[in-house]
């Protein structure tokens, strides 16, 4: 209701690793002119399959937004895979699962725990470029976006500068 009062045409909700709030969110939004965008911030094993139980293998954050019914169903499928096949401290997916269920989804690079951002924090522009290009291949160039945030964290400025550069070089939004 508040989003409608503020004239916002749409609002997204992206629970961390789950979709518990999606139905209530959609039901509440249906009572307003605000379009609900269902999403989830998933944990992704960037380099290893889900069978890996090595705690040294990093997982990253990745925000997904459903653009249509097929995207919602793919998001639900990925959440199911994360909980049934990939759960190890966190519900995780891998890039193979992501690639198989990417249709109808928009990907966002996420916070500083995202794969692209984490490479930029470590001053590895080449690795960040490769990760961004890989996600652009998975989702399509027009469906993967680089996030910029400013929470007053010094490293965030490094990430934001890198994101601007990658956006120009790779033609990503």
């Amino acid at each position: 209701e508040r989003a409608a009062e503020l004239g916002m045409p749409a609002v997204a909700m992206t629970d961390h690793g789950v979709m518990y709030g999606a139905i209530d969110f959609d039901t509440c939004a249906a009572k307003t002119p605000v379009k609900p965008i269902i999403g989830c911030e998933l944990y992704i094993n960037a380099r290893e399959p889900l069978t890996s139980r090595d705690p040294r293998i990093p997982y990253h954050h990745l925000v997904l937004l459903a653009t249509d019914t097929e995207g919602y169903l793919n998001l639900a499928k990925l959440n199911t895979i994360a909980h049934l096949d990939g759960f190890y401290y966190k519900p995780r997916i891998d890039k193979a699962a992501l690639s198989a269920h990417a249709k109808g989804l928009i990907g966002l690079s996420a916070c500083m725990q995202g794969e692209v951002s984490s490479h930029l924090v470590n001053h590895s522009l080449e690795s960040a470029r490769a990760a961004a290009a890989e996600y652009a291949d998975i989702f399509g160039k027009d469906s993967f976006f680089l996030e910029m945030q400013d929470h007053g964290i010094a490293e965030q400025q490094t990430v934001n500068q890198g994101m601007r550069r990658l956006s120009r070089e790779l033609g990503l939004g």
Side-chain angles (χ1 to χ4, degrees), residues 21-38:
I23 292 173
D24 285 343
F25 175 62
D26 189 65
T27 301
C28 289
K31 299 173 188 171
T32 73
V34 176
K35 177 183 176 180
I37 301 170
I38 306 295

Side-chain angles (χ1 to χ4, degrees), residues 4-83:
E5 289 173 13
L6 295 171
M8 297 171 70
V11 173
M13 185 181 75
T14 57
D15 283 337
H16 241 270
V18 297
M19 293 176 62
Y20 299 150
I23 292 173
D24 285 343
F25 175 62
D26 189 65
T27 301
C28 289
K31 299 173 188 171
T32 73
V34 176
K35 177 183 176 180
I37 301 170
I38 306 295
C40 185
E41 185 163 358
L42 293 176
Y43 303 97
I44 185 163
N45 256 14
R47 296 183 309 211
E48 298 291 328
L50 292 182
T51 54
S52 170
R53 296 295 189 246
D54 185 341
R56 295 168 296 174
I57 303 298
Y59 63 85
H60 298 285
H61 297 190
L62 180 69
V63 177
L64 301 179
L65 304 173
T67 63
D68 55 22
T69 301
E70 184 175 17
Y72 175 80
L73 294 173
N74 277 327
L75 187 59
K77 179 67 174 174
L78 287 167
N79 265 273
T80 300
I81 291 167
H83 283 83

